[in-house]
Structures are given as structure tokens and as C-alpha cells.
Amino acid sequence: MTPSNAAMTDAADPQAVDLAVEGMTCASCVARVERAARKVAGVSGAAVNLASERARISGSGFDTAAVIAAISKAGYAAHEVVDSEAAADAEDARRAADGRRDLRHVILAALLTAPLIGNMALHMAGAPLALPGWAELALATPVQLWLGARFYRAGWAALRAGAGNMDLLVALGTTAAYGLSLVLLVQGWAGGQGAAQGGVPLYFDSAATVITLILFGKWLEARARRQTGAALAALAALRPTTARLRDADGSERDVPIGQVRRGDLVAVRPGERIPVDGVIEAGESSVDLSMLTGESLPVARGPGGQVPGGAINGEGALLLRTEAVGAETMLARIIRLVETAQAEKAPIQRLVDRVAAVFVPVVVAVAAATLVGWLLAGAGAPVAILNAVSVLVIACPCALGLATPTAVMAGTGVAARHGILVKDAEALEAAARVTAVAFDKTGTLTEGKPAVVALAPAGEMDAAALLATMAGVMAGSEHPLARAVCARAESEGIAPLPAEAVKALPGRGVSGVVGRQRIMIGSSRLLEETGAAAGRLGATARELETDGRSVSWVIGTEPAGSAEMGGAAQVLGLVGFGDRVKPGAAGAVAALAAQGRLVALLTGDNAGAAAAVARDLGIDKVFSGRLPADKEEIIGALRRDRHVVAMVGDGVNDAPSLAAADIGMAMATGTDIAMHTAGITLMRGDPALVVAALDVAQATMRKIRQGLFWAFVYNVVGIPLAALGWLSPMVAGAAMAASSVSVVTNALLLRRWRPQVK
């Protein structure tokens, strides 16, 4: 699966592009590619992911061809990623072919190296050497100069660019061991000694073994790295390539998905994968959304219901009216979010980048000091050279470069499979540190599908007229309370009255003109601001609020009044709404509290409704009747109290507080603006996903810290041991190969992660 350029539309910069980069082997390579790209005019940012072999270049007015040329000059092959099925298939085929070639090289290197290792084992056991020197040379040369040529090519490219990398260290170390053996062999021939007949030990086995072990380690590493992208590949596999289009005459024909347009009718048979995002025109079925939202059971859908592309249709035939295709579908948006998260660097990676910038020069200096030190100590040239070789071989910048991106890829991938979409690595890191969680109420902790439970008109207006007036003003709104009013009017056969100049009153309600009168519908705050008297309905409102009901007031101005607020305003009636708490809310709140996190409820609803929900869920900290600006201020106060705050919401009015929090979490069942503002999107409206999101973020950060710890410890301990002569080149090579594989394998354990709260 290749990242799509469509994902770039989410970037903050006006121009961005994804490049595939070949030939990177370690953190030093990552740093060099980034430096080369940033030197191009117009480039403001370059983030390279070693695990996915991708570079995200951002800026304004830069030439992509110039960036590719700069990366090529630095010693790496690069090309722009093309978002198409054919390109993805070609990329997969190339990687599979590279994997098969690398495996063949490993096997051949092992076959050539095995006799050399056996020969050395005999010598160590006290037996005479079985292989003559010329045979050792014949076996080691193809390993060194053919199978190990990749290290020379990459090392030379790095050296030519004025930098170093892992390949340069391997090339220097193995060449030193191979060259020393060649010199001893030639001296033996020239002096008539036994080297040519196998009487004197040579070091061809060390050079060949190091190359073989590192080739094997790189093959294992590449194989494991491919598995980190398994979740993204699984999502990409959900994209159907054809759709069954229904024409105006009722006939059906299969067409490529690219030919389907918005508004087209698409037929879906039982058991088929749904090809487009659409609304059901006819038919009923159950839809399997598990790969998109993590929903464990199929969901029933009928006429008017929305279904996403990529989901699997159940037992019934469906006819869909297409709403989105291609890059605009929910599946495409999910893939873009996951790609973006996996392409971005985590803040913790900055330390690694600083270390990588000086790693190879420092190691070369340590190796040179080791060589000189052993010579000054009176050791022979072979001992001094082999110890220096061990230093060069055991140093491993690969593990440093792989620790963060492999864990991020694995963590965001497994999160996506469970309905948690992480915007970027920075959001992941922030989520792992959360100490306080603030929830919106309606649609977040409650079902968000309130029903009208009380209707109380005032004065001469009756209930039917009040409902018709409210339905007229609220007809165009997507707010849950507005939908409840319209649904009640429809169920009673009451037609909404025509309304004009309808507009939202942020945090308070909605207004519109019905006839000659301006109608305002909203909270008790709106009642206070207009100065209208509640009268006898005040007692009714208090009773409803005590019972945990939400109350909206209907306020009208005198016909002459033109001001939106103030003027001669009077109460026309009130409506009470009831909303059920979501089944998973209590368990989620209890789990967060058990983890020692502060849980708060922030809502624009009245105190009674907020208190009832808080009482049911066990939330102690409640802020009711708050405007969006108030919520933002409360988030700021929590942060000033040294809390790392997560805000969970789903509506337009939640966007400011989502942005103000350290990490915003938006329910995908809510509005697009909330999802755009949030750092994490929860694909199901289930509060338990909040606990799961924080848990997977912590698990991912643990893997990153573990990988970096072992990578640093490995080098800090291994290099001095090699310099002291306590590690042979063969042991050093094995340790170097094992370090990268172990870091990647440890990150892959994240794929076994499962949510703890159901």
C-alpha cells in the first residue's frame, strides 16, 4: 500500500508531496535525505520515515523534480508516490521481488560462509585447518565483493555526500578484515609459509560471517517492517474496483469505480462489498462495518440509512444513491488519516535525529582510536585491526532510526483496526500523557438523539401552533434537539410554518422570522439575555431540569421589534427533551477514574440535566450552561493546574475546546469540523473508545521508549566492549543484525493489542 497524494490536502502547508525513497538503511540516511530536501528552494519541511521508506516534503512553490534530484545527489533513489491501484500493485510487486532477491543472497552467502566457519571451528578445537588459504579466498571473495557490494555502493554514496551511514561502517570493517587476510595470505605465499596451505589462520571467515549475518538481519528487518503496514494494506484492500450501476431504464451494468458519479444509483447484492458512500434508496440489510469502525456486530440499515464504501452488505439487496466516491469516501479519509499519522515524526524522534547526525563520525573516530591504542599497547597489527573492525561492525544506527517509526506505524495501524484514527504522531504522544478527560454531554456521553418529552405553550398559543413554529425555525438545523422537534411534528402530522432569516446563535440556540415575528429558541441563557419573563413556566422548567431534562425556551419579539436581542420579548412556550446515557459511558468513566485521571463534564445544557447525567455516570466535576468560549476557558484552567487535558466532543460548538486541549478527540458520528479540529477521531460514538485511545497511545509510547532504550544501551555497551577486544567481529556482526530485528519485532507486538474496556 502506498500513501496517497490526497493525504496531502490535510497538511498545513500550501504544497506537499509524498516521495518513495530507496536505499535508506539507518537513522543517518534519514538525516541526510532530510537535509538534502530542505536545501531545495521553497521546501520548508521534510519528514522521512525509515520504516515505510517514505519522505513527506512540504513548503510553497518548490519543484518536486528538484527535490528528487537533490535526494538522488545525496545517494538515494526517489520518485513521487502515485495514488492508483496499478501503482500500488507495482510497488508491492517490486518489494516482493526485492525480498526474494535478498533471501537468495542470504542463502548463497550462508552456503559460501559455512565452510569458513567450520574451518575456524576446527582450528579453535585444536585441529589443523582443513581449508587452504586459496580456498578461503575463493569462498570469501564473492561474499565480500558481490553479495556485499550493496554496502560499498551505499557507503560510497554517503561518503561522496560528505556523510556516513551504517553501510559505510560495514564496508570499512569487513574490508579491513578481508584486506588483512589477503595481506597475510600473500605474505605466506611470498615467504613460503603455510598460509597458502592452510597452516596459518586467516580472517576471511570474520569478514564473510559479518556480511552474511547483516544480510540476514536486513532481510528479517525488511520482512518485519512490511508487517507494520499490514493494517494500512488491509484498509486499502477494502476499496472495490467496480460498481454495479443502475441506469434510468432499470438495467444494470458493471463499471470501473472511477466512472461512478455523485447521485448515481448503485445496486449491491447480498454478500458484496459496498463500492461507494451512499444513502439507501430501497432494500434492507445488515452491514458489516468492522474493518472501518471496529463495530463487532453487523448494523441494520434500511431506506434513508447511510452506508460507507468498503463495508460488507449482509443478507439483503440494496439500492444506493451515491453520495461520495474515490478520495471523498469515508474509507479514503480513514486511509489518509492513517497515512498522515504514519508519515509524521513523533517529537521524541528529535533526540534520535541529533544523535544520528554525529553517530557515524564518532564511531569511525572510536575505531581509529582503538586501532592506534592497541598498536601502542604492543599488540600486533592483526589484533589491532580486528578490534577496530569489531567497533565498526557492532555500531548500529539502524536500531535508532527504526525504534520510533515502526512503533508509530504498528500502533496507529492497530488503533485504526479498532476504530481509532490518530491524526499524527504528536497527537499520539500527547494522548499517552493525558491526566484529565473533559467530556461534552449531548452526543458524546448521551445518545444524542433526544426526544420531546414535554411541550408547554404560554398565553393563547396552543401546543400544535408552538410545535409548528419551532419546527419551521429548526427545520434546516442538524442539531439533535432540532431533529427531535421536527420528528415530533412529523409524527403528529403538523406542517412546519415557513421561516425566514434563520441563523444560529452560538452557544444559545437559533432564531428565525415566522410571519412578522422574530422567533428565538434556546437555553435559559437566551431567556436571560432577551429579558423575557418566564412567568408560570418557570416552575415547569425547574421541575423538568430537576428530572434531568433539557429545556429550550421559545421566545418571540413584538412585530415591531427588529433587534435579535432585547426589545419587547415574550415567552411563547418551552419544550423539554430527554436523552439516554450511552451504554458504554459508565464503564468508560469508571475506567478513567480507576486509572487516576480526572473526569469532567462540560456542557451547554442546564444544571439539572448535567447533574442527572453526572450522577448516573459518577462524574464529580460538572460545568453546565457553558458557551464554547467558557469551555475553552475551563480547558485552559485545567491545563494551568498542570493537567494534560483530552477534550471529547462531537459538535461544532466543541471545536474551540477540542483545539484548546492538549489532545482533542472527536466522535465521527458528529460534525466534520469537530473531526478536523481533533487530534484523534473515534469512528464509533462509544465512550469506551476514549479509554482505548489513551491505552493504545500509552502502549505505543512504551514500545518507542523500549526501542530507543535498547538501541542506545546496545551501542553504549557494545562499542566499548568491542574497543576493549572482548567481542570478535563475528559476534559483533551477529549483535548488530539482532539489534535492528529485535527493535522492529518488539514494535510488532503492538499488533496484539486489544481494548480492555468493552
Side-chain angles (χ1 to χ4, degrees):
M1 170 61 202
T2 59
S4 70
N5 287 332
M8 299 300 94
T9 59
D10 296 327
D13 291 299
Q15 182 185 359
V17 67
D18 272 358
L19 301 178
V21 183
E22 299 176 25
M24 296 187 298
T25 57
C26 66
S28 299
C29 299
V30 170
R32 191 158 70 256
V33 172
E34 290 177 345
R35 282 198 303 271
R38 289 194 183 104
K39 290 179 181 178
V40 177
V43 174
S44 61
V48 177
N49 187 316
L50 177 61
S52 62
E53 298 179 316
R54 293 289 183 266
R56 171 159 293 179
I57 313 300
S58 56
S60 181
F62 64 82
D63 182 3
T64 301
V67 176
I68 292 174
I71 293 174
S72 187
K73 186 177 179 181
Y76 304 92
H79 62 269
E80 188 171 355
V81 174
V82 180
D83 182 25
S84 70
E85 293 295 329
D89 291 342
E91 181 71 7
D92 290 342
R94 182 191 68 80
R95 292 193 176 192
D98 288 348
R100 290 191 296 270
R101 180 204 61 205
D102 291 345
L103 180 59
R104 288 195 300 271
H105 285 187
V106 169
I107 293 172
L108 185 55
L111 291 175
L112 291 170
T113 304
L116 295 172
I117 296 176
N119 193 52
M120 180 53 64
L122 287 174
H123 175 70
M124 293 176 66
L129 294 172
L131 291 176
W134 62 264
E136 291 191 46
L137 175 65
L139 290 168
T141 298
V143 177
Q144 183 73 38
L145 302 181
W146 173 39
L147 301 175
R150 56 182 288 181
F151 302 114
Y152 287 103
R153 287 193 298 268
W156 171 246
L159 201 59
R160 193 175 54 189
N165 60 5
M166 180 212 76
D167 301 286
L168 180 62
L169 298 179
V170 174
L172 287 174
T174 58
T175 300
Y178 179 87
L180 173 63
S181 300
L182 191 59
V183 169
L184 292 174
L185 183 61
V186 171
Q187 287 177 346
W189 272 326
Q193 299 171 8
Q197 290 75 40
V200 175
L202 303 174
Y203 304 101
F204 289 119
D205 56 313
S206 295
T209 301
V210 166
I211 289 177
T212 300
L213 288 172
I214 294 175
L215 288 176
F216 181 56
K218 300 303 287 183
W219 176 76
L220 286 176
E221 176 191 315
R223 186 169 176 267
R225 280 158 58 180
R226 285 193 294 271
Q227 295 177 38
T228 62
L232 199 55
L235 285 172
L238 299 181
R239 296 191 291 192
T241 57
T242 62
R244 188 171 293 105
L245 207 61
R246 178 171 291 186
D247 294 324
D249 60 3
S251 62
E252 296 179 359
R253 55 195 173 93
D254 289 338
V255 300
I257 195 68
Q259 295 182 15
V260 181
R261 297 291 178 264
R262 184 172 180 148
D264 287 348
L265 289 175
V266 173
V268 184
R269 294 172 182 169
E272 290 184 336
R273 195 172 293 281
I274 297 171
V276 298
D277 286 6
V279 175
I280 299 175
E281 292 277 316
E284 294 183 355
S285 185
S286 58
V287 180
D288 182 358
L289 304 171
S290 58
M291 283 300 294
L292 292 170
T293 67
E295 196 81 47
S296 57
L297 297 175
V299 179
R301 289 287 188 268
Q306 293 185 323
V307 291
I312 299 176
N313 184 28
E315 70 285 350
L318 298 176
L319 183 64
L320 309 179
R321 176 76 61 182
T322 302
E323 286 197 324
V325 293
E328 299 306 315
T329 62
M330 177 191 288
L331 177 59
R333 291 168 66 190
I334 291 173
I335 291 174
R336 286 203 300 273
L337 278 170
V338 176
E339 287 172 342
T340 300
Q342 294 186 349
E344 297 294 334
K345 280 192 174 185
I348 198 173
Q349 182 70 19
R350 294 169 192 149
L351 172 63
V352 178
D353 292 343
R354 289 196 294 269
V355 172
V358 298
F359 186 89
V360 173
V362 168
V363 169
V364 172
V366 172
T370 300
L371 176 66
V372 173
W374 279 97
L375 290 175
L376 292 176
V383 172
I385 291 174
L386 287 179
N387 289 337
V389 167
S390 295
V391 170
L392 292 170
V393 171
I394 199 168
C396 186
C398 312
L400 288 173
L402 289 169
T404 299
T406 50
V408 169
M409 290 181 69
T412 54
V414 73
R417 285 206 304 271
H418 289 88
I420 302 164
L421 301 183
V422 182
K423 189 174 186 179
D424 52 38
E426 188 171 352
L428 194 72
E429 195 165 322
R433 298 183 290 109
V434 165
T435 60
V437 181
F439 285 96
D440 175 48
K441 182 177 76 68
T442 305
T444 303
L445 290 176
T446 64
E447 295 285 359
K449 297 177 181 178
V452 175
V453 296
L455 198 62
E460 299 178 357
M461 180 176 285
D462 61 16
L466 180 64
L467 194 56
T469 300
M470 294 178 66
V473 175
M474 304 175 93
S477 175
E478 290 298 315
H479 194 281
L481 298 184
R483 290 198 295 266
V485 168
C486 295
R488 175 67 176 266
E490 183 179 358
S491 68
E492 295 187 9
I494 296 174
L497 294 177
E500 300 175 348
V502 176
K503 63 185 297 184
L505 306 176
R508 290 160 292 182
V510 65
S511 73
V513 177
V514 178
R516 295 181 58 210
Q517 193 173 31
R518 178 169 294 280
I519 304 296
M520 290 169 282
I521 307 168
S523 63
S524 57
R525 182 185 290 268
L526 183 63
L527 183 70
E528 294 172 5
E529 292 181 359
T530 59
R536 63 178 180 82
L537 291 182
T540 304
R542 285 190 294 272
E543 290 177 7
L544 289 170
E545 290 174 352
T546 301
D547 291 338
R549 308 301 188 184
S550 298
V551 174
S552 288
W553 295 88
V554 185
I555 303 165
T557 63
E558 295 294 337
S562 60
E564 202 173 276
M565 300 295 182
Q570 60 179 341
V571 171
L572 303 180
L574 64 77
V575 59
F577 300 93
D579 192 8
R580 292 186 305 171
V581 170
K582 290 181 177 179
V589 170
L592 291 170
Q595 294 166 357
R597 294 187 171 100
L598 172 70
V599 181
L601 177 62
L602 275 62
T603 178
D605 214 339
N606 63 72
V613 170
R615 186 172 56 249
D616 291 343
L617 299 180
I619 300 176
D620 295 326
K621 209 168 188 65
V622 181
F623 303 90
S624 59
R626 303 305 174 111
L627 294 173
D630 297 330
K631 293 182 180 180
E632 190 175 354
E633 175 56 32
I634 292 166
I635 295 294
L638 289 172
R639 295 184 67 187
R640 287 192 293 274
D641 286 342
R642 298 186 179 180
H643 280 293
V644 178
V645 183
M647 174 66 195
V648 188
D650 72 331
V652 172
N653 63 334
D654 295 321
S657 48
L658 287 171
D662 293 281
I663 178 69
M665 297 188 186
M667 301 284 190
T669 49
T671 61
D672 284 346
I673 188 171
M675 294 171 60
H676 180 75
T677 307
I680 293 178
T681 299
L682 309 176
M683 295 305 295
R684 300 192 311 277
D686 183 358
L689 278 186
V690 175
V691 184
L694 299 181
D695 183 52
V696 74
Q698 287 185 323
T700 303
M701 292 308 300
R702 276 197 301 272
K703 291 301 179 186
I704 290 175
R705 287 192 290 267
Q706 288 169 7
L708 291 177
F709 172 79
W710 288 113
F712 277 114
V713 167
Y714 164 84
N715 285 292
V716 168
V717 173
I719 292 175
L721 290 178
L724 291 171
W726 293 348
L727 294 177
S728 71
M730 287 186 286
V731 174
M736 186 249 203
S739 65
S740 297
V741 175
S742 62
V743 165
V744 176
T745 304
N746 184 50
L748 284 176
L749 293 177
L750 280 169
R751 298 194 305 166
R752 298 161 56 185
W753 176 87
R754 296 292 183 273
Q756 299 301 309
V757 178
K758 301 296 183 182

